[in-house]
Amino acid sequence: MGSVHEAPPPPPLSSSDHPSEKHKVVSDELEIILSNIDLPFYQRNRLATWIELKLLLQLAAPAIFVYTVNNVMSMSTQIFSGHLGNRELAGAALGNNGIQLFAVGIMLGMGSAVETLCGQAYGAKKYPMLGIYLQRSTILLTITGLLVALIYVFSKPILILLGQSTEIASTASTFVYGLIPQIFAYAVNFPIQKFLQAQSIVNPSACIAASTLVFHLILSWVVVFKLGLGLLGAASMLSFSWWVLVIAQFTYIVRSEKCKHTWAGFSVQAFSGLPSFAKLSVASAVMLCLEIWYNQIMLLLAGLLKNPKLALDSLSICMTIAAFMLMISFGFSASASVRVGNELGAGHPKSAAFSIVVVNLVSIVTSMVSATLVIVFRDVISYAFTEGEAVAGAVSDLCPLLAIIIILNGIQPVLSGVAVGCGWQAFVAFVNVGCYYVVGIPLGSLLGFYFKLDVKVRY
């Protein structure tokens, strides 16, 4: 189990003083039922499943909505860019999936350390520590963001060095320049999300995300098509919308009664224990980055194929669809992390194990439904992104493989969420190295360049 050595925290509040006591009572009831060997096996598991499903869906449904809305903001920006032309779509795809995801991997990965620590601290009723962890993570992520911003600034020569054409690299860099402010929005937003999720406070984030999406769509349409600011305008509006999201959520934390026990204001204690906190944060970042960077490498390889524009357009559309479906799994992953972390912190091992089983079953069923929809609409799904018929045909050919990926993505992120709840990020990092880098990239390169299977190597 991941942990960070601390100065003695303030004494925990009594359970009756905290607004989430009802959730705690239900959690205790679940452990009691699972430990009651006098109940028949079927009845014990039926009652436990009903309780766990209610706890899970109360967390997962709003979390899925938040992750989906956040993804739709990026997807809509790519769609606006795609309707400017195929060159703009390729540039936005490379900038969004090739450069931006680099920052997402690092920032979201380091932010998952808050998920582990806040989840377990909340289960152990050490409520004041949640605010300290939030501030500590924001400090580390902001420092990291300064380093990541250098990659954005020099994105054009980096992409050319990696073998991309000058035309596509130039277009992608224009898009990326507008995303620099978004890096620092990530540094605040990801710790805030984990801070709220650990307390099962997810509905306010869902409302804020929905409002921000409407604002983003209207403003992006005006900036791109009415003011004619093109790719740079589209990317800049995405950055601006993320900062609106951050400010709204932080305002909620400061003013909400639900956070009065976990947010006590800014504290110098946030600067103590940074090295040990950074160690868990780096392990968390490595775990997620190894997966996200794999997608980036495969996208960069697609840009080296004989028809790079078609390869990038079709692959980026499939990756965007997969990422959209992945938001459902991320919602289940977040709920699994919270449930496991809370139950372990509360000393409920049976409830933690039972949560793992239930969330995986629900996620698998959901991903199979999503994969079926992709197959049904395979011939028309690309027209939401671009009007090109050649791209539509290439996407249709990739959809059966895309469906398989969606089903597998219904399992892997949830297991990663369980690992985060337990603090096992370093172990998952080793697994990702073997699967993606020892097997995936060498095999994909061999099939794509030697056996001429082109963009299908992504799958």
Side-chain angles (χ1 to χ4, degrees):
M1 185 185 304
S3 61
V4 174
H5 295 292
E6 299 286 352
L13 300 167
S14 65
S15 59
S16 61
D17 192 34
H18 199 272
S20 295
E21 174 63 10
K22 181 178 179 181
H23 182 275
K24 178 68 171 58
V25 170
V26 174
S27 177
D28 289 340
E29 181 185 359
L30 177 61
E31 186 72 12
I32 291 170
I33 290 173
L34 290 170
S35 303
N36 188 358
I37 59 175
D38 293 331
L39 283 175
F41 177 81
Y42 170 78
Q43 184 179 0
R44 185 167 68 245
N45 282 277
R46 179 176 61 83
L47 292 172
T49 300
W50 176 245
I51 293 174
E52 180 60 36
L53 282 175
K54 287 193 294 183
L55 291 171
L56 173 64
L57 294 178
Q58 286 172 2
L59 285 169
I64 290 171
F65 183 79
V66 170
Y67 281 117
T68 301
V69 168
N70 290 347
N71 185 259
V72 167
M73 285 204 299
S74 294
M75 182 190 295
S76 64
T77 299
Q78 189 165 323
I79 290 173
F80 281 128
S81 302
H83 285 286
L84 292 172
N86 284 346
R87 179 174 63 85
E88 286 79 3
L89 175 62
L94 190 58
N96 202 21
N97 297 314
I99 299 294
Q100 185 202 31
L101 280 182
F102 180 87
V104 172
I106 293 177
M107 309 299 270
L108 183 58
M110 293 187 71
S112 72
V114 183
E115 201 168 0
T116 300
L117 298 172
C118 282
Q120 294 183 11
Y122 189 76
K125 301 183 183 178
K126 297 178 180 179
Y127 303 128
M129 289 309 303
L130 273 73
I132 301 299
Y133 291 143
L134 166 60
Q135 296 172 60
R136 195 169 292 169
S137 180
T138 301
I139 292 169
L140 286 174
L141 265 65
T142 300
I143 295 172
T144 305
L146 294 172
L147 301 176
V148 173
L150 293 176
I151 298 174
Y152 280 50
V153 171
F154 296 103
S155 57
K156 181 177 179 179
I158 290 174
L159 290 172
I160 293 176
L161 182 64
L162 293 174
Q164 303 302 308
S165 69
T166 302
E167 179 186 20
I168 293 179
S170 179
T171 305
S173 64
T174 300
F175 184 81
V176 165
Y177 293 154
L179 297 180
I180 292 177
Q182 186 188 39
I183 300 171
F184 302 99
Y186 286 158
V188 186
N189 183 72
F190 292 151
I192 285 178
Q193 279 189 341
K194 306 307 180 184
F195 169 85
L196 292 172
Q197 286 173 3
Q199 303 172 70
S200 301
I201 302 175
V202 282
N203 289 326
S205 292
C207 294
I208 292 171
S211 301
T212 305
L213 175 62
V214 174
F215 168 81
H216 172 72
L217 291 174
I218 295 173
L219 198 60
S220 295
W221 178 77
V222 170
V223 167
V224 174
F225 296 115
K226 294 302 179 181
L227 300 181
L229 297 182
L231 278 182
L232 184 60
S236 298
M237 288 307 98
L238 182 58
S239 294
F240 182 71
S241 296
W242 269 87
W243 272 108
V244 170
L245 191 67
V246 166
I247 293 170
Q249 288 186 109
F250 184 70
T251 301
Y252 173 83
I253 290 174
V254 172
R255 303 188 65 176
S256 173
E257 285 292 312
K258 292 184 177 180
C259 298
K260 68 179 182 180
H261 299 301
T262 53
W263 176 261
F266 296 102
S267 172
V268 294
Q269 192 178 354
F271 293 92
S272 66
L274 282 175
S276 54
F277 189 88
K279 183 177 180 181
L280 181 60
S281 296
V282 169
S284 301
V286 170
M287 180 193 78
L288 190 61
C289 286
L290 289 174
E291 180 176 351
I292 291 181
W293 291 347
Y294 165 78
N295 292 326
Q296 290 179 278
I297 291 171
M298 298 308 288
L299 188 68
L300 291 171
L301 288 176
L304 301 177
L305 295 172
K306 60 183 180 182
N307 191 347
K309 286 187 180 179
L310 180 61
L312 281 171
D313 286 351
S314 59
L315 183 56
S316 67
I317 288 173
C318 287
M319 289 178 67
T320 302
I321 294 169
F324 181 78
M325 299 298 184
L326 191 61
M327 295 305 104
I328 299 175
S329 297
F330 275 172
F332 286 122
S333 174
S335 60
S337 176
V338 172
R339 290 288 300 121
V340 171
N342 286 172
E343 297 298 348
L344 290 177
H348 295 163
K350 287 185 173 62
S351 296
F354 192 77
S355 296
I356 295 172
V357 174
V358 173
V359 71
N360 273 284
L361 289 175
V362 174
S363 182
I364 290 170
V365 171
T366 305
S367 65
M368 292 180 69
V369 173
S370 301
T372 302
L373 292 175
V374 166
I375 294 297
V376 170
F377 295 103
R378 58 185 294 184
D379 294 327
V380 297
I381 202 167
S382 70
Y383 289 110
F385 299 86
T386 183
E387 299 173 359
E389 294 184 4
V391 176
V395 170
S396 180
D397 288 341
L398 288 173
C399 274
L401 298 173
L402 174 61
I404 295 174
I405 293 299
I406 290 173
I407 292 174
L408 294 176
N409 280 345
I411 304 172
Q412 191 272 338
V414 177
L415 294 178
S416 293
V418 172
V420 169
C422 297
W424 295 341
Q425 288 93 327
F427 170 76
V428 178
F430 284 111
V431 173
N432 286 349
V433 168
C435 293
Y436 293 129
Y437 295 89
V438 176
V439 178
I441 291 176
L443 183 61
S445 300
L446 180 66
L447 294 176
F449 295 102
Y450 185 79
F451 289 101
K452 309 297 182 183
L453 296 183
D454 292 338
V455 75
K456 291 185 180 181
V457 303
R458 165 64 180 83
Y459 301 103

